[in-house]
Amino acid sequence: MTTVGALSGNLAELVGAMIGSGETHVALAEFSDHRYVQFMVAANGVVIGEVISNLNIGDSVALSSDDEDALRRLGFREPAPGPNPNWWFSADDSSALVRLMVMMNGAIRHVLREMPWNEVEVRTWRLDAPNGVDQSEFRTATRVYFESLLEQLGEHVD
């Protein structure tokens, strides 16, 4: 557990440490209302930043149409089934990574409206990505979907 201010202030350091490992890692930051942002850092250093979308959460609504418009203006790409069910942006060089950090902090502060003193739970883990596997296929196969979580918890899913 940390604060949103600490997360925002150390976001570049967190992602930089994940890049420096040379392995595939995920960092998930979940806010008190269960909305989230996350990063997947591939072993080759490509970073994909994501913001929750309405596509992956059943009948729930995480973002208003104004929120979605704000994410578009920030530069996030549209969610779609497959490897990108959330709002996303891929960074494969240093200038794109700087842009992603600015976009993500904008999403946290101005779209999700998280205040610096709010609590956020940050979890990181390493993924074993087989050599030669397509990154999109790997992301699709390792993604946790809302419906899958409910089924695991024994909840009924329509």
Side-chain angles (χ1 to χ4, degrees):
M1 294 299 290
T2 189
T3 64
V4 169
L7 172 65
S8 291
N10 294 301
L11 200 53
E13 184 178 78
L14 170 66
V15 173
M18 292 167 52
I19 292 170
S21 75
E23 298 176 315
T24 301
H25 281 87
V26 173
L28 172 70
E30 185 176 358
F31 305 101
S32 62
D33 61 5
H34 301 293
R35 296 189 299 174
Y36 61 87
V37 298
Q38 66 185 12
F39 295 90
M40 181 175 186
V41 178
N44 65 2
V46 173
V47 179
I48 298 172
E50 299 183 8
V51 178
I52 190 172
S53 80
N54 295 332
L55 185 64
N56 189 22
I57 58 173
D59 293 332
S60 299
V61 176
L63 302 171
S64 69
S65 58
D66 288 342
D67 295 334
E68 292 176 328
D69 288 342
L71 289 170
R72 280 184 200 93
R73 284 191 303 275
L74 283 169
F76 284 96
R77 292 186 169 88
E78 298 275 340
N84 300 307
N86 290 316
W87 292 90
W88 65 283
F89 184 81
S90 180
D92 60 0
D93 63 30
S94 58
S95 64
L97 186 58
V98 169
R99 180 176 176 203
L100 175 58
M101 296 298 106
V102 171
M103 291 167 59
M104 192 60 76
N105 275 313
I108 291 168
R109 181 70 177 98
H110 301 293
V111 176
L112 300 177
R113 289 175 285 292
E114 292 293 331
M115 302 308 291
W117 52 85
N118 291 356
E119 286 191 333
V120 57
E121 181 178 2
V122 180
R123 290 174 279 174
T124 63
W125 62 93
R126 184 178 59 81
L127 291 174
D128 292 321
N131 288 335
V133 70
D134 177 75
Q135 184 175 345
S136 291
E137 289 176 16
F138 180 71
R139 288 179 57 231
T140 300
T142 58
R143 183 166 300 280
V144 175
Y145 288 92
F146 179 79
E147 289 85 2
S148 298
L149 285 175
L150 288 179
E151 289 169 0
Q152 290 172 11
L153 295 172
E155 301 286 331
H156 177 71
V157 179
D158 290 327

